[in-house]
Amino acid sequence: MKKHVLTVILSVSFIVWSFAQEKPSSVGQLLHGLNKLDVVASAMYVAAHPDDENTLLITWLENEKKVRTAYIAMTRGDGGQNLIGTEKGEYAGLLRTNELLQARSIDGGEQYFTRANDFGYCKTTEEALTFWGKEQVLSDLVYRIRKFQPDVMITRFPPDSRAGHGHHSASSVLAEEAFDAAADPKAFPEQLKEVDIWQVKRLVWNFYNRGFTNTPPEEDGGFITMDIGGYNALLGESYGEIGSRARSMHKSQGFGAGLFRGERMETLKHTKGEPAKNDLFDGVNTTWSRIKGGDIISTVIKDIKLNFNPELPENSVLGLNQLYKLMQTLPDSPLLQYKLAELRDLIFNFSGIHMEVNTKDYNVSRGDSLEGTFRFINRSNLNVKISHIEIPKLSYNIEKQTNLSKNKRFQQSFKAWVPKGTPISQPYWLQEKHDKGAYHISNEALKGLPMSPPVIRSLVKVNIEGLILEREIPLTYKYVEPSFGEIYQPLVVAPDVTVTANTGSLVFGNGNPQDILVTVNSSKKDMQGNVNLDVPAGWTYSPISTSFNLKNKNEETILKFTVNPPSTGSKGTIKIKANAAGNTFSSSLNSIKYKHIPETVTFPEADISVLRLDLKKKGKRVGYIVGAGDDIPQALSQMGYAVDLLSEEDLSGNLSVYKAILVGIRAYNTNAWLPFYHDKLMSYVKGGGNLICQYQTRGGRTSAFINKMGPYLFTISRDR
């Protein structure tokens, strides 16, 4: 039984850790939380990528049906484009992971993954399953089903070519197999040391509206139809509005959505298990009576709601405390542990207690000291005491009863040393080199979770009217940005020194040398040393070594190296290394920072891919219309072209000086003025110029807009 207590509490905590800033609860949200506490059921939505999920349906499940709802994406979207920045590959996946977490913070769902990697467009199910490694990804999905224990599973795609993409169809194939395997003790028996087998009641397909290719024939039957666009007075929004706001978090993919209001009919088709006749949860006991002795829980919740005072929510805390003690007497199970965690959050929210732990700086190095402050405010008339404060990783703890007076700020400063063996802050799925189709994950306890837990976190015990509750609080750096306001940033455990190149790749089209710039950054004071390069055989560079002397923490300097390629074709990797304080450091510093997600810092290996080839090229000067996340101009420069970045004003001038003009990725989506220069660009082509237009999307534009892209009329559809 103990295995359930620990793992379920942790899974809830991981969701909290993803959002450093505490969100206040309105009176309506408090009452809504009580209503959700009274429903004992769950659903799992399964698809392939970030943005595949139906955020409106997840919103409806969480807030109308009030069931615990998860979205499990096979991949993190590593293979897609990026409308808002230059992140690509696994860093695009990291950006989209954060966007998914922001979407779930709005629609109320939870987020999980498998180890599968989005390796780009995939034509068939078989191709996807081969690259992913079918058995290992199926194992991930089965494990999550057994751990989460959904009553209902929902897929977004059919298991065939109608899905439009091999990743899409593979997600459905895996869901159907996992539906059976999760209940089979012979399937992945090693998991049963930690989780139990689980039989899902039914599996349904949430297909798109009629008119898409991804829809079943009407005569197939087995459909459930419901209106999911209702209005929730306690939340002050319709499910369409909430779902639209969640959808708009997928900003890197250009999925900002208008707020949807009014009726929204959604249809689900039966796939496996016991068919439903009228309701998605037909035959599922969604009440506390499904837990032995749990009938009394609903009665107590009803009494708490009857006595709820919207002007003094704190008056309900004594009743919630008694409910918590009562729930602890029920037979233990993962389901009960989740509801206990849900109730703990409600007690804190009803109490109006604010808690945060802020550090003096946004980063810390191993072996250095960490300073910060615990901050607590009791904004109620309740008797609240802090009985224990601890930062386990730092061996810091205080056993002391501290009364929190009403609306009086209480602060406790701390200073502790970070052990030298502390891991650096790094997403767990990026800690090892991975294959094209799947990530390598050594830490089984983290597999499938959206993010790594903070390396350093605090534990606080709070006595609220006699009930002692524990809460883990992430350590955050808090600052004020004048044009935005208060910002919370997760604390980062950083290497002592990082070495970051100004490029990740270099192409040598001839024997001419090229320069690279290396930014050396120190996360602690008084770091001196030198930087050198490991280059492939046949390559040389100068100077052989360059020294640095960084007096202050987070100080940086830029060093220049000149790389000379061999005379013949060659490719390889340059590794950048810093030597300081008797140690060698080979990590770079990468930061993903946008206003709609928390800043995410990673420390990838400081490598540069290099290629020497005998490049035949025509022309010397090209024009480039920059699009989104576009690194092509730099690549063209490395190939030896003079590249002019063309603005709207430039397009009004003489274009005949260019051997070619390139239109960047999604340039028609990011430059509203571009269609108005269609005739000018076509005249350039007629005059002998070469015009190359890269990937574009419809982007909500009209047909007239689309027809201003190419020399002939054409349409952009959803047909892949």
Side-chain angles (χ1 to χ4, degrees):
M1 296 303 241
K2 187 176 181 181
K3 64 182 181 184
H4 296 314
V5 175
L6 176 62
T7 56
V8 172
I9 290 176
L10 284 179
S11 70
V12 174
S13 298
F14 276 119
I15 300 162
V16 176
W17 290 335
S18 302
F19 312 103
Q21 191 167 0
E22 187 176 286
K23 294 185 177 181
S25 294
S26 67
V27 168
Q29 289 169 325
L30 294 177
L31 189 53
H32 182 60
L34 283 176
N35 291 336
K36 291 183 69 174
L37 186 67
D38 201 24
V39 177
V40 188
S42 57
M44 178 180 284
Y45 201 98
V46 182
H49 310 108
D51 86 2
D52 285 342
E53 82 277 21
N54 185 339
T55 54
L56 201 160
L57 182 56
I58 292 174
T59 300
W60 181 81
L61 288 166
E62 271 282 345
N63 298 289
E64 175 64 25
K65 302 301 285 185
K66 303 176 185 64
V67 302
R68 182 188 183 194
T69 307
Y71 173 46
I72 180 164
M74 297 296 106
T75 76
R76 295 176 184 267
D78 325 73
Q81 289 80 27
N82 182 357
L83 182 64
I84 61 175
T86 59
E87 291 82 11
K88 296 179 179 64
E90 57 198 22
Y91 300 107
L94 184 56
L95 168 58
R96 292 183 176 186
T97 294
N98 275 296
E99 289 180 332
L100 275 172
L101 289 170
Q102 293 302 309
R104 298 295 80 79
S105 73
I106 293 170
D107 60 35
E110 299 174 29
Q111 185 63 51
Y112 300 101
F113 296 93
T114 74
R115 76 189 81 182
N117 178 262
D118 178 359
F119 53 85
Y121 181 70
C122 173
K123 293 182 179 180
T124 66
T125 305
E126 293 70 29
E127 182 184 32
L129 295 178
T130 298
F131 276 112
W132 287 351
K134 179 183 176 182
E135 284 302 302
Q136 65 178 3
V137 178
L138 178 62
S139 169
D140 293 348
L141 185 52
V142 168
Y143 174 81
R144 189 53 54 190
I145 292 169
R146 287 171 169 173
K147 195 173 184 69
F148 188 84
Q149 298 186 348
D151 296 301
V152 171
M153 286 178 60
I154 305 165
T155 59
R156 187 48 158 167
F157 302 105
D160 51 49
S161 60
R162 287 174 297 174
H165 188 314
H167 292 172
H168 292 169
S169 53
S171 70
S172 184
V173 168
L174 290 166
E176 291 187 14
E177 292 195 22
F179 179 91
D180 296 322
D184 183 0
K186 296 179 182 178
F188 309 107
E190 69 281 359
Q191 297 179 0
L192 301 182
K193 297 176 183 177
E194 183 184 348
V195 293
D196 298 323
I197 60 171
W198 182 257
Q199 179 61 69
V200 184
K201 187 77 169 180
R202 65 179 55 91
L203 175 66
V204 295
W205 168 24
N206 172 214
F207 58 84
Y208 287 86
N209 296 327
R210 297 291 179 189
F212 286 82
T213 56
N214 182 20
T215 54
E218 298 254 13
E219 60 270 16
D220 274 12
F223 300 122
I224 313 167
T225 301
M226 61 269 190
D227 176 13
I228 64 172
Y231 177 77
N232 190 311
L234 294 178
L235 301 179
E237 289 184 285
S238 70
Y239 303 129
E241 290 169 307
I242 298 171
S244 299
R245 288 196 294 109
R247 182 72 173 171
S248 291
M249 287 298 103
H250 295 301
K251 298 183 188 301
S252 65
Q253 300 179 77
F255 283 130
L259 298 185
F260 183 89
R261 300 177 179 89
E263 180 184 81
R264 166 68 178 269
M265 302 308 297
E266 200 78 19
T267 305
L268 308 172
K269 185 183 185 306
H270 177 74
T271 303
K272 301 196 75 163
E274 182 181 309
K277 295 180 180 180
N278 302 306
D279 185 88
L280 180 59
F281 290 87
D282 276 350
V284 176
N285 185 354
T286 63
T287 72
W288 276 94
S289 64
R290 68 186 293 174
I291 297 177
K292 186 178 180 180
D295 294 297
I296 187 64
I297 301 298
S298 290
T299 302
V300 175
I301 293 174
K302 183 179 179 180
D303 288 341
I304 293 172
K305 288 197 293 185
L306 285 173
N307 293 297
F308 177 72
N309 183 345
E311 294 185 355
L312 288 171
E314 65 200 60
N315 290 355
S316 298
V317 168
L318 288 177
L320 293 170
N321 285 359
Q322 293 303 313
L323 178 62
Y324 188 86
K325 295 174 183 177
L326 181 61
M327 285 170 58
Q328 287 181 307
T329 67
L330 300 178
D332 194 19
S333 69
L335 183 57
L336 177 67
Q337 289 300 324
Y338 177 78
K339 299 307 282 189
L340 280 168
E342 192 177 354
L343 179 52
R344 276 196 298 274
D345 288 341
L346 271 177
I347 292 172
F348 279 108
N349 290 340
F350 270 78
S351 302
I353 299 171
H354 177 80
M355 300 188 294
E356 61 183 52
V357 187
N358 305 130
T359 54
K360 191 175 180 179
D361 209 339
Y362 64 86
N363 64 349
V364 67
S365 63
R366 296 169 290 188
D368 216 342
S369 63
L370 177 66
E371 296 181 55
T373 306
F374 288 86
R375 292 186 167 95
F376 309 112
I377 302 180
N378 170 22
R379 295 173 289 193
S380 72
N381 292 301
L382 297 170
N383 182 12
V384 178
K385 301 184 181 74
I386 301 297
S387 60
H388 176 85
I389 296 174
E390 182 180 2
I391 308 176
K393 181 67 73 174
L394 309 187
S395 300
Y396 174 90
N397 67 80
I398 297 177
E399 292 282 352
K400 179 183 177 182
Q401 288 276 8
T402 302
N403 291 314
L404 297 185
S405 302
K406 182 180 180 180
N407 218 30
K408 298 290 186 181
R409 292 188 297 272
F410 172 77
Q411 298 187 167
Q412 175 69 54
S413 298
F414 69 88
K415 180 177 181 179
W417 293 92
V418 179
K420 290 186 176 181
T422 302
I424 63 171
S425 299
Q426 189 84 322
Y428 70 89
W429 67 94
L430 298 181
Q431 290 175 358
E432 301 179 41
K433 295 286 185 182
H434 62 86
D435 301 323
K436 179 178 181 180
Y439 288 109
H440 291 272
I441 300 171
S442 298
N443 192 333
E444 291 290 317
L446 301 180
K447 184 174 63 181
L449 294 172
M451 296 291 283
S452 302
V455 174
I456 302 174
R457 52 191 183 271
S458 67
L459 175 67
V460 177
K461 292 183 180 180
V462 186
N463 185 323
I464 305 174
E465 291 290 347
L467 179 68
I468 298 176
L469 298 175
E470 291 186 356
R471 170 158 280 193
E472 287 188 336
I473 308 174
L475 277 64
T476 57
Y477 173 67
K478 182 172 70 170
Y479 65 100
V480 174
E481 206 281 313
S483 66
F484 186 81
E486 191 171 75
I487 295 176
Y488 287 72
Q489 182 176 336
L491 174 69
V492 173
V493 179
D496 294 355
V497 175
T498 57
V499 280
T500 308
N502 63 327
T503 182
S505 62
L506 283 174
V507 175
F508 295 77
N510 50 44
N512 295 333
Q514 293 190 50
D515 292 336
I516 61 172
L517 302 177
V518 177
T519 300
V520 185
N521 181 283
S522 172
S523 62
K524 64 189 331 179
K525 295 179 179 179
D526 298 318
M527 292 299 293
Q528 304 90 31
N530 60 76
V531 175
N532 54 57
L533 310 181
D534 281 349
V535 298
W539 296 68
T540 62
Y541 74 97
S542 63
I544 296 300
S545 180
T546 301
S547 62
F548 63 88
N549 186 356
L550 302 176
K551 295 292 186 182
N552 301 311
K553 181 180 179 180
N554 294 323
E555 185 179 347
E556 61 183 36
T557 187
I558 298 177
L559 309 178
K560 184 172 79 171
F561 295 88
T562 300
V563 177
N564 301 282
S567 58
T568 58
S570 175
K571 66 178 181 179
T573 302
I574 293 176
K575 296 183 177 295
I576 308 172
K577 296 183 178 180
N579 303 289
N583 296 305
T584 299
F585 302 94
S586 59
S587 296
S588 62
L589 174 62
N590 179 71
S591 176
I592 300 176
K593 186 175 183 179
Y594 297 97
K595 287 186 177 180
H596 67 297
I597 63 170
E599 182 172 357
T600 304
V601 177
T602 58
F603 302 99
E605 286 296 303
D607 296 345
I608 303 174
S609 299
V610 289
L611 174 66
R612 165 71 170 97
L613 74 165
D614 186 13
L615 181 67
K616 303 288 192 298
K617 70 180 194 298
K618 291 184 178 181
K620 296 181 179 180
R621 188 178 180 189
V622 297
Y624 201 95
I625 303 171
V626 177
D630 211 337
D631 289 333
I632 302 299
Q634 295 93 310
L636 292 170
S637 296
Q638 289 180 19
M639 293 164 64
Y641 286 101
V643 183
D644 292 345
L645 303 182
L646 302 181
S647 66
E648 180 178 5
E649 182 180 355
D650 294 326
L651 286 185
S652 300
N654 180 19
L655 302 181
S656 64
V657 297
Y658 299 110
K659 182 68 176 178
I661 294 176
L662 291 85
V663 181
I665 297 168
R666 286 186 171 180
Y668 277 91
N669 302 112
T670 59
N671 300 309
W673 47 264
L674 188 52
F676 300 107
Y677 291 86
H678 176 263
D679 292 342
K680 184 71 178 287
L681 290 171
M682 292 304 106
S683 295
Y684 164 76
V685 173
K686 288 179 182 179
N690 300 294
L691 179 65
I692 301 173
C693 184
Q694 299 177 77
Y695 176 88
Q696 310 293 327
T697 68
R698 187 180 185 92
R701 303 290 189 173
T702 63
S703 297
F705 172 91
I706 301 299
N707 291 334
K708 294 294 185 180
M709 285 188 186
Y712 304 104
L713 301 180
F714 63 89
T715 59
I716 297 179
S717 73
R718 295 178 65 91
D719 188 350
R720 295 176 183 268

